[in-house]
């Protein structure tokens, strides 16, 4: 079962533009993570935000978390062709379990 | 440091045949995950191990799927017999546990199964 749903399902932008994708989830969380997956490859961790945090930055990535709305957003600034990939959010429940549930993903295409 | 290693990368079999996937996690990671990813979808958890113990296998179709993690290190996921609907990428991931860890999952490259 999927905990999160990403929006939009697909996004196509020009190189240099910013890309924003959203994740909505259903239950309370301990933390939320974003992962990238290049075609035919495994997932790579990008950034983790804890339930008591509202915003985090890492390089060109900015993640926000709104626990009242059960949603998160990932912003990629000054996008590059190499950012073309699928992006997934993953949530962990607060119960102490290390079970991570992934969303449905956003397919980003950055045009050179 | 070596990452999560999976084999085989690709497997094509006829339906009703058995198939097995192997995963070697990052050294010292006591939590191991098997996910299944259908085309265009996010990974779905099949089973999670903490050391040798399967602590979450509610999504594993136990009539045909089995998994083991002997000695709390390598893991094998088996399907017998395979059905057409089992065609997917099977991803293995590992992570550490506890306050000292970052909580991130480290994924292997996946094993792509095609059932004909």
């Amino acid at each position: 079962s999927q905990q999160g749903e990403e929006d939009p399902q697909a996004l196509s932008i020009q190189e240099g533009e910013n890309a924003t994708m959203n994740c909505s989830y259903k239950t309370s969380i301990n933390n939320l993570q974003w992962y990238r997956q290049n075609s035919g490859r495994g997932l790579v961790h990008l950034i983790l935000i804890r339930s008591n945090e509202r915003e985090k930055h890492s390089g060109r990535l900015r993640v926000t978390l709104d626990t009242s709305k059960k949603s998160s957003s990932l912003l990629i600034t000054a996008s590059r062709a190499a950012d073309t990939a699928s992006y997934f959010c993953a949530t962990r429940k607060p119960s102490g379990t290390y079970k991570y549930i992934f969303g449905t993903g956003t397919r980003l295409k950055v045009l050179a | 440091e070596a990452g999560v290693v999976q084999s085989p990368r690709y497997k094509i079999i006829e339906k009703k045949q058995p198939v097995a996937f192997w995963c070697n996690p990052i050294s010292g990671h006591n939590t191991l995950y098997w996910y299944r990813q259908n085309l265009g979808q996010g990974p779905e958890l099949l089973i999670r191990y903490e050391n040798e113990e399967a602590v979450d296998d509610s999504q594993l179709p136990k009539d045909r799927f089995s998994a083991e993690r002997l000695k709390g290190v390598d893991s094998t996921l088996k399907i017998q017999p395979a059905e057409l609907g089992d065609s997917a990428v099977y991803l293995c991931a590992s992570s550490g546990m506890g306050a000292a860890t970052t909580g991130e999952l480290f994924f292997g490259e996946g094993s792509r199964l095609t059932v004909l």
Side-chain angles (χ1 to χ4, degrees), chain A residues 17-49:
Chain A
E17 294 180 339
N18 295 343
T20 300
M21 51 205 85
N22 305 293
C23 168
S24 60
Y25 55 92
K26 299 173 185 174
T27 63
S28 298
I29 60 171
N30 171 287
N31 69 63
L32 183 145
Q33 304 183 33
W34 285 90
Y35 288 79
R36 183 188 72 222
Q37 184 179 36
N38 290 92
S39 181
R41 307 298 295 274
L43 282 77
V44 175
H45 179 263
L46 294 176
I47 194 166
L48 179 154
I49 187 165

Side-chain angles (χ1 to χ4, degrees), chain B residues 5-114:
Chain B
V5 179
Q6 289 188 247
S7 70
R9 283 295 315 276
Y10 304 93
K11 189 74 177 179
I12 301 173
I13 60 172
E14 300 279 336
K15 64 181 180 182
K16 301 185 181 179
Q17 294 298 305
V19 63
F21 305 110
W22 175 81
C23 174
N24 179 241
I26 291 174
S27 177
H29 280 186
N30 47 11
T31 304
L32 184 145
Y33 307 76
W34 282 103
Y35 285 88
R36 177 171 60 190
Q37 186 177 27
N38 292 308
L39 189 64
Q41 300 294 314
E44 291 188 85
L45 180 67
L46 290 175
I47 189 168
R48 179 172 66 92
Y49 283 93
E50 289 182 6
N51 299 306
E52 297 178 359
E53 184 182 0
V55 295
D56 193 337
D57 62 356
S58 58
Q59 300 280 83
L60 190 73
K62 298 182 182 64
D63 57 335
R64 298 183 300 107
F65 285 63
S66 64
E68 60 182 11
R69 190 183 184 197
L70 298 177
K71 300 181 181 179
V73 181
D74 295 1
S75 179
T76 303
L77 178 69
K78 298 179 181 177
I79 308 174
Q80 183 171 12
E83 296 179 352
L84 294 177
D86 296 331
S87 294
V89 176
Y90 291 84
L91 293 163
C92 179
S94 70
S95 70
M97 281 176 57
T101 65
T102 60
E104 69 179 276
L105 304 186
F106 294 82
F107 281 84
E109 296 284 9
S111 295
R112 181 178 296 276
L113 173 66
T114 301

